Structures are given as structure tokens and as C-alpha cells.
């Protein structure tokens, strides 16, 4: 299996793992939900977990990969404020925890780029298949 074939499956695995984590152990995620959002933090945690599972399935399937990968990129952008909130909330914690929370912030960029790359490659695969 080539790297371009593995990449969407790895992204789907990451999404599925995070989706399961949001549903199985929601409490840490609840704390990250910005207070400005309406409704309960638990509802947002569960909704994001379900969204991640749906996107994981979409990215895993070649037929829906491009749209799901683009939606995944949007999700990664959309959850950035929660990561900023976490970094802010953890500013008084022990140094390793504070460092971990701050270090998460720049990792959103490669996640967005990864999802966009999966979407771009899904489009290329369809073009190549159409020429066969």
C-alpha cells in the first residue's frame, strides 16, 4: 500500500479515535468548549464526537473521501478556538501540562493541510480512474 493510499486511512483512524474518545470520556473535552457557545458543553462534546465518527467513515470510503476530507479540514479549523481556550485555561498548571496545551496550537495547521491533501488526492484519483 502506497503512502497516498495509507494517508486517508490514517486520517480516518485519527478521526475515529478522537470520536470514540469524545463519546467514551467526554469530561476533558467538555472543559474545552468555549462558554460563548449556546447549550451545554456535553452536547457539543457529543456532537463533535459523532461528527468525527461520520467524517472518519467518509474519509475511509473512496466515494465520499473528497467531501469528507474537506469537511474534516473545516472541522480542524472550527475546533481551534477550543484548543486556544484549553491553552488559556491551563496557563497556571504545571509546566509540562501548560507546554502540552500550547504545543497543540500549531499542530492544527498540519492537520488542516493533511485533510486538504487527502481531499486533493481523492480528486486526482477520480481523474486518473476516469482515464483508464
Amino acid at each position: 500500500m502506497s503512502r497516498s493510499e495509507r494517508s486517508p486511512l490514517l486520517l480516518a483512524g485519527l478521526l475515529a479515535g478522537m470520536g470514540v474518545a469524545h463519546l467514551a470520556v467526554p469530561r476533558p473535552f467538555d472543559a474545552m468548549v468555549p462558554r460563548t457557545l449556546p447549550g451545554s458543553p456535553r452536547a457539543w462534546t457529543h456532537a463533535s464526537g459523532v461528527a468525527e465518527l461520520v467524517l472518519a467513515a467518509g474519509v475511509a470510503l473512496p466515494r465520499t473521501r473528497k467531501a469528507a476530507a474537506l469537511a474534516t479540514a473545516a472541522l480542524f479549523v472550527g475546533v481551534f478556538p477550543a484548543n486556544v481556550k484549553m491553552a488559556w485555561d491551563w496557563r497556571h498548571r504545571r509546566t509540562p501540562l501548560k507546554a502540552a496545551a500550547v504545543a497543540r496550537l500549531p499542530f492544527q495547521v498540519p492537520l488542516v493541510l493533511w485533510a486538504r491533501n487527502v481531499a486533493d488526492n481523492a480528486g486526482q484519483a477520480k481523474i486518473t480512474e476516469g482515464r483508464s
Side-chain angles (χ1 to χ4, degrees):
M1 181 180 285
S2 72
R3 183 177 185 185
S4 63
E5 292 170 324
R6 280 191 317 266
S7 184
L9 299 179
L10 292 171
L11 180 58
L14 172 72
L15 288 163
M18 291 308 299
V20 168
H22 277 79
L23 297 173
V25 189
R27 190 176 209 173
F29 299 102
D30 292 347
M32 294 173 62
V33 175
R35 290 177 188 88
T36 55
L37 291 175
S40 73
R42 181 62 50 93
W44 286 100
T45 297
H46 283 160
S48 63
V50 169
E52 287 164 334
L53 290 172
V54 169
L55 291 173
V59 168
L61 298 171
R63 209 168 124 210
T64 55
R65 182 167 294 151
K66 183 171 184 160
L70 290 173
T72 297
L75 176 76
F76 289 150
V77 170
V79 300
F80 186 73
N83 291 335
V84 170
K85 180 184 181 304
M86 179 183 173
W88 179 257
D89 289 348
W90 286 24
R91 70 190 181 279
H92 300 300
R93 293 200 177 186
R94 294 186 335 265
T95 300
L97 294 173
K98 182 173 27 178
V102 171
R104 286 176 56 135
L105 298 176
F107 282 112
Q108 290 301 119
V109 172
L111 287 173
V112 170
L113 295 175
W114 182 16
R116 291 289 313 269
N117 183 266
V118 167
D120 291 345
N121 287 338
Q124 292 299 321
K126 286 183 182 181
I127 291 169
T128 304
E129 289 171 11
R131 291 183 185 156
S132 316

